């Protein structure tokens, strides 16, 4: 089985990693920092999502991404937490643009999430990878990650691997 990959940045990569790890069809999530090109050439917290596009499509992944971080807020931490979809091909770029344009009508504010080329990746240190799966009872996980997973369970129930999110009930 050949997997498709796409990268997402938005908020804390521990949160982003946990969100995508909980989805059916996602086989692997690499957590770390991603850089793009030109003005986005600095590293920002992000994840690379490896998925089976026969089980979950790009539109669902982007929709979930936009709904689980502040995709309409251009706050002061955007250098560290760039709101982005990092594409690996021109086809992904075009499809991502169309998806976000279509989804804009579902949001009151303008979506600021950028669609930028994937250029480079630096993985997180080993002790921070799979953060939620390894530390579900830590205060950070209970405060920030559990609400995102509860949101997914309520709004995307057909895409959730319940064995990976059962601790947040």
């Amino acid at each position: 089985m050949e997997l498709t990959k796409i990268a997402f940045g938005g908020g804390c990569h521990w949160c982003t990693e946990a969100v995508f790890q909980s989805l059916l069809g996602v086989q692997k999530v690499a957590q770390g920092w991603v850089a793009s090109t030109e003005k986005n050439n600095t590293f920002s917290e992000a994840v690379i999502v490896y998925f089976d596009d026969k089980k979950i499509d790009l539109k669902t992944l982007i929709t979930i991404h936009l709904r689980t971080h502040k995709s309409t807020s251009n706050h002061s931490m955007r250098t560290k937490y760039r709101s982005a979809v990092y594409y690996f091909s021109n086809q992904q770029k075009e499809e991502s643009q169309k998806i976000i344009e279509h989804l804009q009508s579902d949001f009151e504010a303008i979506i600021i999430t950028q669609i930028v080329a994937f250029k480079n990746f630096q993985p997180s240190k080993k002790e921070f990878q799979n953060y939620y799966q390894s530390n579900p009872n830590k205060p950070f996980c209970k405060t920030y990650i559990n609400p995102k997973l509860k949101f997914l369970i309520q709004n995307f129930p057909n895409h959730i691997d319940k064995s990976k999110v059962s601790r947040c009930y």
Side-chain angles (χ1 to χ4, degrees):
M1 165 182 57
E2 188 174 328
L3 297 175
T4 303
K5 63 183 177 177
I6 189 98
F8 295 106
C12 166
H13 52 203
W14 294 348
C15 295
T16 309
E17 175 189 55
V19 164
F20 289 105
Q21 283 179 330
S22 70
L23 301 176
L24 293 169
V26 172
Q27 301 298 313
K28 176 183 172 186
V29 179
Q31 178 212 113
W33 289 265
V34 172
S36 184
T37 58
E38 300 169 11
K39 69 177 184 174
N40 295 307
N41 67 353
T42 58
F43 283 96
S44 183
E45 291 193 23
V47 297
I48 303 173
V49 176
Y50 297 81
F51 64 102
D52 180 344
D53 60 10
K54 291 172 181 57
K55 294 183 179 179
I56 190 164
D57 61 18
L58 186 58
K59 181 180 181 185
T60 301
L61 293 172
I62 289 175
T63 302
I64 288 170
H65 179 57
L66 295 179
R67 293 288 182 191
T68 55
H69 82 284
K70 295 180 179 179
S71 61
T72 61
S73 174
N74 206 3
H75 55 73
S76 63
M77 295 295 288
R78 276 295 172 220
T79 302
K80 182 177 180 184
Y81 303 121
R82 182 180 303 123
S83 181
V85 174
Y86 298 91
Y87 61 86
F88 288 85
S89 68
N90 283 332
Q91 179 185 351
Q92 272 188 342
K93 175 185 178 181
E94 291 170 15
E95 188 176 353
S96 297
Q97 287 171 331
K98 288 177 186 174
I99 290 167
I100 290 179
E101 286 171 14
H102 175 76
L103 292 172
Q104 178 61 64
S105 63
D106 295 341
F107 290 79
E108 289 183 23
I110 300 294
I111 296 170
I112 58 122
T113 304
Q114 301 174 66
I115 301 165
V116 293
F118 176 91
K119 178 71 174 168
N120 207 345
F121 178 71
Q122 291 181 349
S124 296
K125 292 179 181 177
K126 197 83 165 157
E127 68 259 27
F128 297 119
Q129 295 175 19
N130 296 306
Y131 191 80
Y132 181 77
Q133 300 299 325
S134 302
N135 303 286
N137 294 316
K138 290 233 175 178
F140 182 89
C141 295
K142 289 181 176 183
T143 302
Y144 297 104
I145 298 175
N146 280 353
K148 292 175 189 278
L149 297 179
K150 286 178 184 176
F151 172 83
L152 286 178
I153 291 165
Q154 292 169 351
N155 294 282
F156 298 92
N158 297 333
H159 296 289
I160 302 303
D161 181 342
K162 291 179 179 52
S163 69
K164 294 180 182 175
V165 296
S166 60
R167 15 179 119 83
C168 74
Y169 287 31

